[in-house]
């Protein structure tokens, strides 16, 4: 089946008891036993499992082609639970360009607890090989990366991981399974901030892990999810399932607009550089064609000048909302260095753009008047 059909059917279970076409939200935290003290449907309590969450988790596994899906209260909760499944003394390899919360968790939570980590440029495969330690357990990739849109060769990096006895995890938030399927490129785990494209409407916080195999490590993460309770509410699960129904159509439409916007910005005299996987001048143009179906709807632009020029430009925009986050139906723009704070390596003239579902011509007209 094609992705759109899978996404729709994976999230569409009409209710057998009432015939309701849209499944109900199971808010109950506890589930009754029968006269023989059995749990007829297998549910006992909502922290370990809940029917609405289970439906979402099955859909997540289907979308990424994994054996097991798990959902969490946020992307960060998903990342944290995966790291909790490691042991003190283990080592993690993480890309230099990554969502800032991932290294922040490693530094502020897991380093004191006994994990060590190294940051490496994942586009430099020799550097990746050279950074492997004998206790490396996880190589954490994010591609396209945040905010520089660098591309990691998932097939090669997962081979490096497996040769070292480690697993390869891919944060697939920006690409989504519509554009990139890391498990098919031999990654072991896919992570998502479901807050972004999966839910797609900037109104729910959620996270996901999808495992290629149901092995001991997968079961350890499942146990931690159940014990520690970093789980989404049934209502949030229902909203994410609803979002997934339109994931394909949204991401493809947003990508089509992003391509036109990137081309417009790339030729503009007030612009220094555009970072977008769909431009022929992207350094990994060939790898992108092998690894992704389409280049996606995220881009970063460096305007001529510094922070002042960048902030002046976005101050004049009328259609783009100046806000953090991404993947919703409305276009957002953000001065990333301001959000990341004084230790940020992000260039001061860089603006990150998440393209929404507005018409491309209107977005370009808005950018043009603000750059004038
Ligand atoms: C937003 C984001 C996260 C964190 O997810 P939350 O849902 O905000 O906890 C992780 N990785 C990437 C690439 C993100 O964009």
């Amino acid at each position: 089946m094609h992705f759109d059909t899978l996404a729709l059917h994976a999230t569409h279970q009409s209710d057998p008891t009432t015939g309701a076409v849209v499944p109900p939200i199971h808010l109950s935290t506890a589930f009754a036993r029968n006269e023989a003290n059995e749990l007829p449907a297998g549910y006992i309590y909502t922290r370990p499992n809940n029917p609405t969450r289970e439906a979402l988790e099955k859909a997540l596994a289907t979308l990424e082609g994994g054996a097991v899906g798990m959902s969490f209260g946020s992307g960060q909760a998903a990342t944290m639970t995966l790291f909790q499944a490691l042991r003190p003394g283990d080592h993690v390899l993480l890309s230099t360009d990554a969502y800032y919360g991932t290294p922040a968790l490693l530094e502020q939570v897991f380093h004191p607890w006994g994990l060590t980590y190294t940051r490496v440029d994942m586009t430099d495969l020799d550097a990746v090989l050279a950074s492997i330690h004998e206790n490396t357990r996880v190589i954490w990739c994010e591609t396209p990366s945040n905010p520089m849109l660098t591309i990691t060769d998932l097939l090669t990096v997962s081979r490096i991981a497996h040769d070292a006895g480690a697993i390869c995890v891919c944060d697939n938030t920006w690409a989504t399974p519509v554009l990139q399927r890391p498990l098919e490129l031999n990654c072991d785990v896919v992570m998502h901030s479901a807050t972004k494209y999966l839910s797609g409407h900037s109104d729910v916080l959620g996270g996901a892990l999808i495992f290629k195999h149901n092995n001991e490590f997968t079961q350890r993460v499942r146990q931690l999810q159940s014990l520690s309770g970093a789980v989404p509410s049934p209502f949030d699960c229902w909203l994410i399932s609803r979002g997934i129904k339109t994931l394909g159509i949204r991401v493809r439409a947003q990508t089509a607009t992003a391509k036109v916007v990137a081309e417009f910005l790339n030729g503009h005299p007030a612009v220094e550089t555009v970072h977008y996987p769909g431009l022929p001048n992207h350094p990994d143009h060939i790898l992108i064609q092998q690894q992704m179906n389409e280049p996606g709807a995220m881009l970063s632009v460096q305007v001529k000048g510094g922070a002042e020029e960048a902030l002046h430009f976005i101050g004049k925009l009328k259609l783009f909302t100046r806000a953090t986050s991404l993947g919703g139906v409305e276009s957002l723009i953000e001065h990333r260095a301001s959000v990341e704070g004084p230790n940020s390596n992000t260039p001061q003239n860089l603006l990150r753009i998440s393209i929404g579902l507005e018409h491309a011509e209107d977005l370009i007209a808005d950018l043009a008047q603000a750059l004038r």
Side-chain angles (χ1 to χ4, degrees), residues 151-184:
I151 305 293
T152 297
D153 179 347
L154 291 176
L155 206 55
T156 307
V157 170
S158 50
R159 180 159 41 73
I160 294 173
H162 296 157
D163 287 350
I167 61 168
C168 186
V169 182
C170 179
D171 181 338
N172 205 28
T173 301
W174 281 31
T176 80
V178 183
L179 307 182
Q180 175 173 275
R181 310 246 300 172
L183 301 184
E184 288 171 8

Side-chain angles (χ1 to χ4, degrees), residues 73-77 79 98-99 101-102 140 142 144 146 171-174 191-196 204-207 325-326 352:
S74 67
Q76 285 293 86
T79 302
Y99 174 70
T102 311
W140 185 284
E142 183 182 313
N146 182 359
D171 181 338
N172 205 28
T173 301
W174 281 31
M191 176 267 168
H192 276 284
S193 167
T195 314
K196 316 294 170 55
V204 53
L205 204 62
S325 200
L326 57 113
R352 191 184 77 183

Side-chain angles (χ1 to χ4, degrees), residues 114-137:
L115 279 191
T116 56
Y117 68 97
T118 307
R119 299 194 71 178
V120 63
D121 175 0
M122 286 282 169
T123 66
D124 181 347
L125 296 171
D126 293 329
V128 175
L129 257 180
S131 309
I132 297 277
H133 298 196
E134 60 171 21
N135 55 343
T136 302
R137 290 288 163 268

Side-chain angles (χ1 to χ4, degrees), residues 13-93:
Q13 306 90 6
S14 38
D15 181 27
T17 50
T18 61
V21 170
V22 174
I25 307 174
H26 292 278
L27 294 172
S28 188
T29 50
F31 297 83
R33 293 173 183 273
N34 64 15
E35 297 82 348
N37 207 37
E38 295 154 348
L39 294 159
Y43 302 103
I44 177 166
Y45 184 61
T46 277
R47 173 159 36 74
N49 203 359
N50 168 284
T52 308
R53 190 167 89 228
E54 191 175 81
L56 169 62
E57 294 188 335
K58 287 193 168 143
L60 290 167
T62 304
L63 295 191
E64 290 285 3
V68 178
M70 295 180 206
S71 62
F72 295 85
S74 67
Q76 285 293 86
T79 302
M80 184 158 94
T81 308
L82 187 128
F83 288 144
Q84 281 174 332
L86 302 178
R87 312 259 168 215
D90 288 348
H91 175 251
V92 175
L93 209 56

